[in-house]
Every structure is written in structure tokens, then in C-alpha cells.
Amino acid sequence: MKKLYLLLPILFLIYWGCEDEKDTTPTEVTLWGEVYSVENTNSLDLRNSGLTGSIPPELGNLTNLERLNLYDNQLTGSIPPELGNLTKLTWMDLGRNQLTGSIPSEIGNLTNLSILNLLYNQLTGSIPSEIGNLTDLTNLNLDHNQLTGSIPQEIGNLTNLLMLSLDYNQLTGSIPQEIGNLTNLIRLYLYYNQLTGEIPESICNLVENNCVVYINNNYLCPPYPSCVEDYMGVQDVCSCGLDDDEVVYLWGNCYSIENTTVLNLSNSGLTGEIP
């Protein structure tokens, strides 16, 4: 009988170990009151559906998803890092919501993405360098947010891009030299930021391939590459170290006498007399 007593704890441990090895992966996920099969759901199109609240992290369990469209809802809160589990995604559109917080670095796991739309939210923080992993992207739209920091040089890895929209943010620093690698671009939107310094000559690689560059309303310093002179529009050059006889001061901003070819201040709330 003593031998039997010794075996019982061993058998219990073996049984307990087998219990731990059970597969806990969910087969279904409930999102906004609807149940979705993990195995069979490869597309989730809930655009303009009146969704509210935050994006459930459980969405990251739908690992067979190829398209995710939550465009034009009233979603709040941050982008859950669990979305980085959706490595089969080719299309992700979270645009026109009220999302806050930073773009999670886990988004760099989605290496099959061709479309990434996060436009018209309230996202803050910097653009993660991991976004340079998404080398299949053709469209990257981060415009109309509150993003800060510099444009990461890793963005030059995205050589399949046709559209890059970073306008209407609060981006600072200089335009990276690596921007010239994006020779397939058709449109480059950088206007209405706080970009500074001189524009790299490599940007001419884009213009020579018929890319239209929207770069006005920044703090970029002359001299400007000849290829983009027609695109400069309004630039505040107060921090460029120009002499007083090289600039004109208007409504608190400085404009280069030689390089300002367009002055569009519509809807700027200007008051007082025209100087």
C-alpha cells in the first residue's frame, strides 16, 4: 500500500500538467455585440456603422483577417497593440474616428499591408520607426492628426508607396534624405506641419518621376531645390538666420523676399490693416 501512496502525487502532477497544455485559443470573438468566427472571418467591414467606445483588444484574435475597415465611426481610446497580431492584413482603415494616444510600434508586424489609413483622428506622439517594415505599402495616410517628432528615416524603405500623406500634423525636424528613395510616389503631402531646415536635393528624385509635392506652410529654409520652387508656397523663415533685408515680417511670420512666390493666407483669422 505504501507504494500506491507514493504514486498518487505523481499521477496528480501528470494530470495537472496535461490540464495546463490545453489549447486556450478562442474559436469565436464578440465585437460590438456580434459574434465572429476566428477561423472563417477574413474581412471585417464596419465603416460608418455608428460604433462607439474603444477598439476591443480581442479584435487581435481574428488572425485570419485580411481586410479591416472601421472608417467613419465614433471610436475613441488608443489603437490596441493587439492589432499587431493580424499579420495577414492587407488593408487597415481606422480613419475618421476620435482615436487618441500614439501609433503602437506593433503596427510594424503587419508586413502584408498595402493600405494603412489612420487619417482624421487625434493621434499623438511620433511616427514609429517600425513603420519602415511595411515595405508592401502603396498608401500611407496619417494626415489630420496631432503627430509630433520627426519623419523617421525608415520611411525611405517604403519604395512601393504611391501616396504618402503626413499633412496637418505637428511634425518637426528636417525632411529625411531617404525621402528620395520613394520614386514610385505620385503624391507627397507634407504641408501644414512645423518642418524646418533645408530640403534635401533627393526630393528631386520624386519630382523627376512626376510626383506632385505639397510642402507649403512649414518653416523650411531657402535656398530651395529648383525642382520644388513652384511648390513652396508660404514658408515661415524666421528661424533661418536670414538678414532683415532678405525677409518681410507679416502678421508675426517671416517670408523670404526672394523665394516667396505664393502668399495664401485665406481663413487665417487675420486682423488689422494690410501692412
Side-chain angles (χ1 to χ4, degrees):
M1 293 299 293
K2 290 182 179 178
K3 289 184 178 179
L4 178 60
Y5 291 138
L6 289 170
L7 284 171
L8 284 174
I10 297 172
L11 291 172
F12 176 76
L13 287 172
I14 293 172
Y15 174 77
W16 186 263
C18 291
E19 285 288 294
D20 285 348
E21 292 174 3
K22 281 186 177 179
D23 186 3
T24 58
T25 304
T27 59
E28 294 180 337
V29 175
T30 301
L31 303 169
W32 296 289
E34 297 290 333
V35 178
Y36 299 92
S37 164
V38 170
E39 181 179 357
N40 298 310
T41 305
N42 55 28
S43 179
L44 193 63
D45 189 346
L46 297 174
R47 58 188 158 174
N48 194 24
S49 297
L51 303 180
T52 59
S54 57
I55 300 173
E58 293 81 6
L59 181 55
N61 291 324
L62 294 179
T63 52
N64 286 326
L65 268 188
E66 297 175 8
R67 292 174 66 94
L68 173 61
N69 194 341
L70 303 178
Y71 180 81
D72 198 13
N73 284 286
Q74 292 88 49
L75 295 170
T76 57
S78 57
I79 300 172
E82 288 82 359
L83 295 191
N85 299 333
L86 307 178
T87 54
K88 293 183 181 179
L89 277 183
T90 61
W91 181 306
M92 184 161 76
D93 194 341
L94 308 180
R96 285 194 181 274
N97 281 283
Q98 300 164 31
L99 298 173
T100 56
S102 58
I103 301 171
S105 60
E106 288 82 359
I107 213 153
N109 298 337
L110 309 181
T111 53
N112 288 304
L113 276 182
S114 59
I115 305 289
L116 177 57
N117 287 334
L118 304 178
L119 69 172
Y120 282 95
N121 279 288
Q122 300 165 30
L123 298 171
T124 56
S126 58
I127 300 171
S129 60
E130 289 82 0
I131 215 157
N133 298 340
L134 311 183
T135 53
D136 284 347
L137 278 181
T138 59
N139 288 65
L140 176 58
N141 301 317
L142 306 179
D143 53 282
H144 290 84
N145 280 286
Q146 299 167 27
L147 297 173
T148 56
S150 58
I151 300 171
Q153 63 182 24
E154 289 83 1
I155 216 151
N157 298 341
L158 309 181
T159 54
N160 288 306
L161 277 181
L162 303 175
M163 184 87 68
L164 176 57
S165 299
L166 304 179
D167 48 295
Y168 285 97
N169 280 287
Q170 299 167 28
L171 298 173
T172 56
S174 58
I175 299 171
Q177 180 77 23
E178 291 79 5
I179 204 87
N181 297 342
L182 309 182
T183 53
N184 286 307
L185 272 185
I186 299 171
R187 294 285 187 274
L188 173 62
Y189 297 94
L190 299 178
Y191 58 103
Y192 284 98
N193 277 288
Q194 299 169 25
L195 299 171
T196 58
E198 294 187 3
I199 300 172
E201 286 286 343
S202 64
I203 204 167
C204 293
N205 297 344
L206 315 184
V207 178
E208 290 167 2
N209 283 284
N210 299 314
C211 176
V212 179
V213 177
Y214 296 88
I215 205 168
N216 55 286
N217 290 86
N218 279 287
Y219 298 82
L220 296 163
C221 294
Y224 304 123
S226 58
C227 65
V228 294
E229 283 181 348
D230 293 339
Y231 300 116
M232 296 312 301
V234 174
Q235 300 291 330
D236 186 338
V237 296
C238 285
S239 60
C240 294
L242 300 178
D243 295 330
D244 286 345
D245 60 354
E246 296 179 285
V247 298
V248 171
Y249 295 85
L250 302 171
W251 294 288
N253 295 322
C254 311
Y255 301 97
S256 167
I257 292 172
E258 180 179 355
N259 295 286
T260 302
T261 58
V262 175
L263 192 62
N264 184 352
L265 299 176
S266 61
N267 299 315
S268 297
L270 303 179
T271 58
E273 297 180 355
I274 298 175

